[in-house]
Amino acid sequence: MVNKIKVTKVYKQVIQQIKNMISDGTLKIGDKLPSERELVEKLKVSRSSIREALRSMENIGLIECRQGEGNFIGTNTENSLYEPLSIMFLLQKNTSQEIFELRMAIEVETVELASKKINSQELQELKLLVIKMKETYDRNLSISLDKEFHYKIAQAAHNILILNMMNAVSSLVDEYRKDALIKIVEIKENTKVLGLQHENIYNALSENNLEDSVKAMKVHINFSNEYMTNIK
């Protein structure tokens, strides 16, 4: 059987060439790209193809265009996933169950890694957040502290890919987490339950206890999911 040969647009080939330069270490974060003229000569393509490729890469955050200076490999690459994924999530209308499964997949693995890698400074920051969560009955503050707590754990995993992924899905997960917490804290006693859950996660991390860290995180996410599934 003969497969149809696909012809790739020239500007996409240019993008692939630049990706290859990043992959082999020729270009690194913050590096300046060759000028348009140099790219034309090097890649043997038209200037319009070069410009189309640069414009596409700028739109997704891969490169930064600095007026009067040139084009540079993006220094804020964690945002390059954010916009396209945010739009995809809005279009797909993900269910509460799918978001629950996503949280389980990402955050349970994240807390497992954090239990091995977390340092004293990160533990202190988590401890302060737990104290604040246990002391407040303010709904908006509780939501803000909960979000910060989970992102601190992602940072403590010391895996830039996981942290980038957390940022990329934040538009989806944060909104549902907020809606769930609003419902949860409508019952005053639940504020204490949430505080205890976060404290259990912190305690397990402070002891570098992988098994208890995972167990505590699962209990917390399952508890939140009971309310997420009731969000209309």
Side-chain angles (χ1 to χ4, degrees):
M1 179 178 178
V2 177
N3 294 322
K4 183 179 179 180
I5 297 175
K6 295 181 179 180
V7 179
T8 306
K9 292 183 178 179
V10 176
Y11 85 92
K12 291 185 177 181
Q13 295 178 35
V14 174
I15 293 174
Q16 186 58 54
Q17 288 292 331
I18 293 175
K19 286 182 178 179
N20 291 342
M21 293 169 72
I22 295 173
S23 179
D24 66 20
T26 303
L27 290 174
K28 302 179 182 65
I29 289 177
D31 283 355
K32 183 177 180 179
L33 271 69
S35 67
E36 288 184 9
R37 181 177 179 179
E38 290 172 321
L39 287 172
V40 167
E41 294 176 355
K42 184 180 180 68
L43 302 179
K44 307 300 181 186
V45 297
S46 68
R47 178 160 290 191
S48 62
S49 294
I50 295 294
R51 288 178 176 173
E52 189 173 3
L54 293 174
R55 185 166 55 250
S56 296
M57 289 187 288
E58 183 181 11
N59 287 338
I60 64 172
L62 181 59
I63 67 170
E64 300 170 1
C65 180
R66 302 175 191 172
Q67 192 67 34
E69 296 183 51
N71 298 296
F72 297 78
I73 299 299
T75 56
N76 196 23
T77 52
E78 63 269 20
N79 289 331
S80 63
L81 283 174
Y82 182 83
E83 288 301 332
L85 282 179
S86 297
I87 294 170
M88 181 187 74
F89 293 144
L90 288 172
L91 292 172
Q92 288 184 334
K93 304 294 183 184
N94 302 86
T95 66
S96 295
Q97 180 62 26
E98 288 172 327
I99 299 168
F100 163 68
E101 292 167 356
L102 176 65
R103 289 193 68 190
M104 276 292 190
I106 295 178
E107 295 192 53
V108 171
E109 178 64 24
T110 298
V111 81
E112 181 176 332
L113 287 172
S115 70
K116 304 173 187 176
K117 301 179 180 181
I118 196 166
N119 59 44
S120 57
Q121 176 63 35
E122 291 161 343
L123 280 170
Q124 181 62 25
E125 291 171 354
L126 283 178
K127 182 178 181 180
L128 291 175
L129 289 172
V130 170
I131 292 172
K132 290 179 181 178
M133 280 188 274
K134 293 179 70 175
E135 291 178 345
T136 185
Y137 286 93
D138 182 272
R139 185 180 70 181
N140 292 330
L141 181 57
S142 294
I143 291 170
S144 176
L145 291 171
D146 179 84
K147 176 180 177 179
E148 187 175 357
F149 182 86
H150 287 275
Y151 278 86
K152 287 290 183 185
I153 292 175
Q155 292 170 352
H158 295 280
N159 184 312
I160 191 64
L161 294 178
I162 287 178
L163 187 58
N164 286 347
M165 186 58 65
M166 285 279 285
N167 287 329
V169 301
S170 64
S171 62
L172 177 70
V173 173
D174 290 349
E175 189 64 29
Y176 275 76
R177 180 161 36 211
K178 175 182 175 181
D179 290 342
L181 285 171
I182 288 173
K183 285 185 170 289
I184 289 171
V185 298
E186 285 178 352
I187 303 172
K188 190 173 182 179
E189 292 75 14
N190 279 345
T191 303
K192 292 183 178 180
V193 174
L194 283 174
L196 181 60
Q197 289 176 355
H198 288 98
E199 186 173 31
N200 288 339
I201 295 171
Y202 162 76
N203 287 337
L205 288 171
S206 67
E207 297 170 1
N208 299 112
N209 190 317
L210 187 154
E211 184 176 342
D212 284 354
S213 296
V214 168
K215 181 179 178 181
M217 182 61 78
K218 285 183 176 179
V219 167
H220 174 58
I221 296 176
N222 274 308
F223 179 72
S224 297
N225 187 57
E226 292 176 11
Y227 290 85
M228 288 175 74
T229 52
N230 291 324
I231 295 172
K232 304 299 182 183

